Amino acid sequence: FVGARILVFGKPLFVYGADEFTKRYFASQFGRNMENIDIHEPSVPIPRLPTPPSNGLGAEEDSIQNCKMLRPKPMYRDMAKYKKYAGKVMRFTARWDSERADEMARSFIISFYPSDDTVSIWETSGDGRNTGMVSGKFLERMKLVKPGTSGSKVKYYNKSDLFVGAAVVAQSRRFVLTAMDEFTARLMDSEDPLTVGAKKPAPAAVRLGQRIEGEDREELLKKCHIKDRAHKGFLSIEEFLGVLQSKLYGLTNNDIMELMEFCKRDARDFSGEVDYNNFFAKINAAYTADVARK
């Protein structure tokens, strides 16, 4: 019965429960009502040893993996982010944040690689100046650990931590970012949620068509005819861009590359020549279609 102790091969066993049929049988035959006995004991949490600090050999993630398993596996790599930012480098100028005048005068370039969140630092204090300091590599490309984090709670500097005015701590030294290059500014603007949702400019062909509408287009065609001394209807790309130079203000390099696609007679045209009559016809068609949509 439930609660009994029996010996099996010299081992005492405690009966703490029975199925429903057995309970009904004992109740009908012996008048004994049995209830299961709760034998669960409160669970005691298993103490976890703290993750030891890195010894400085190799990446800190690899050291953590050695503490987690007997046969460590390589850390997961975000391939989507790697493909998105492969080959892209964000560069900032920085100064050493120090109370000493000789250290504050030193200048640096901090390069951030968003594909894998690594950082490298190059000192430029001696570039063309008589400072007594030598320019060169200050920090090898590596992941920078944020101060106050380590072990399993380690955090690294990422793209959102870097902007003009931000502070970066590397090798116990504090750097303040003072400026960024044009590519970094464009990259940050393109991913800023305040600007991503903003109205996008019209295609380059539409903007150019608006500028050369009517008499301006005829004037440009006359200039093309003058340049085309052989009267073949073609100009080299350099000559053609020279004719359009006054109308290309405000267009970016990407806009110019977009217009170059209109210069081609077909997708496989790599002759370097422009059919200017066809080009103006395409620009006019793109502009007319945009006006009709509006």
Side-chain angles (χ1 to χ4, degrees):
F1 57 91
V2 175
R5 296 178 183 273
I6 59 176
L7 289 176
V8 178
F9 297 113
K11 303 290 185 182
L13 299 181
F14 176 68
V15 181
Y16 66 89
D19 59 12
E20 293 302 322
F21 173 80
T22 305
K23 292 178 181 179
R24 289 195 301 268
Y25 179 80
F26 268 77
S28 62
Q29 297 297 324
F30 306 105
R32 180 189 291 271
N33 294 320
M34 298 187 301
E35 295 294 337
N36 293 343
I37 300 174
D38 185 12
I39 63 169
H40 292 92
E41 298 179 355
S43 59
V44 179
I46 300 175
R48 183 182 182 277
L49 295 175
T51 304
S54 174
N55 58 8
L57 300 177
E60 190 157 351
E61 304 99 316
D62 295 332
S63 300
I64 294 175
Q65 289 296 96
N66 280 280
C67 298
K68 289 182 177 180
M69 55 191 72
L70 185 61
R71 293 184 177 180
K73 297 180 180 179
M75 289 294 294
Y76 168 75
R77 187 175 186 179
D78 191 344
M79 293 305 299
K81 184 171 74 170
Y82 178 79
K83 291 180 180 179
K84 180 180 180 181
Y85 295 111
K88 296 181 179 180
V89 185
M90 301 170 64
R91 292 183 174 88
F92 300 85
T93 57
R95 62 175 177 82
W96 192 335
D97 189 18
S98 173
E99 296 180 354
R100 294 176 52 181
D102 58 330
E103 292 180 348
M104 292 179 63
R106 299 173 68 174
S107 58
F108 301 85
I109 293 179
I110 296 181
S111 301
F112 179 76
Y113 303 82
S115 60
D116 57 0
D117 292 342
T118 53
V119 178
S120 65
I121 302 178
W122 191 272
E123 184 168 2
T124 59
S125 304
D127 290 355
R129 295 178 294 170
N130 187 17
T131 60
M133 303 175 189
V134 180
S135 298
K137 186 185 295 183
F138 184 85
L139 180 71
E140 185 71 41
R141 179 176 174 179
M142 60 183 294
K143 281 192 172 185
L144 270 186
V145 179
K146 289 185 178 181
T149 66
S150 62
S152 59
K153 297 183 179 180
V154 65
K155 292 183 179 180
Y156 299 97
Y157 283 99
N158 55 46
K159 189 160 61 68
S160 61
D161 297 317
L162 303 178
F163 50 87
V164 175
V168 175
V169 178
Q171 305 297 336
S172 302
R173 295 169 175 82
R174 190 171 187 268
F175 299 90
V176 177
L177 307 185
T178 57
M180 68 181 77
D181 62 7
E182 184 179 350
F183 170 78
T184 304
R186 288 201 305 268
L187 180 63
M188 296 177 71
D189 288 341
S190 66
E191 297 184 353
D192 188 347
L194 298 178
T195 58
V196 169
K199 184 179 179 182
K200 294 183 179 180
V206 174
R207 282 179 281 161
L208 181 62
Q210 185 179 11
R211 297 176 185 179
I212 63 174
E213 184 182 11
E215 295 181 358
D216 285 342
R217 182 168 62 252
E218 297 300 325
E219 184 66 26
L220 291 173
L221 273 172
K222 288 181 181 179
K223 291 182 180 180
C224 289
H225 285 302
I226 294 173
K227 288 278 187 180
D228 183 16
R229 297 180 180 179
H231 304 292
K232 294 182 178 179
F234 298 98
L235 290 176
S236 67
I237 291 180
E238 292 78 7
E239 291 175 328
F240 185 64
L241 289 179
V243 173
L244 287 181
Q245 189 64 43
S246 61
K247 303 296 181 181
L248 299 180
Y249 56 88
L251 298 182
T252 65
N253 292 336
N254 289 335
D255 294 332
I256 301 297
M257 294 302 296
E258 183 181 334
L259 292 176
M260 289 300 99
E261 294 299 318
F262 284 83
C263 296
K264 294 182 178 181
R265 285 165 285 188
D266 55 66
R268 301 183 64 182
D269 178 20
F270 300 101
S271 62
E273 293 184 334
V274 181
D275 183 344
Y276 50 84
N277 290 297
N278 187 36
F279 176 84
F280 286 117
K282 290 180 178 180
I283 295 295
N284 184 56
Y287 175 63
T288 304
D290 184 72
V291 172
R293 283 195 299 269
K294 296 180 179 179

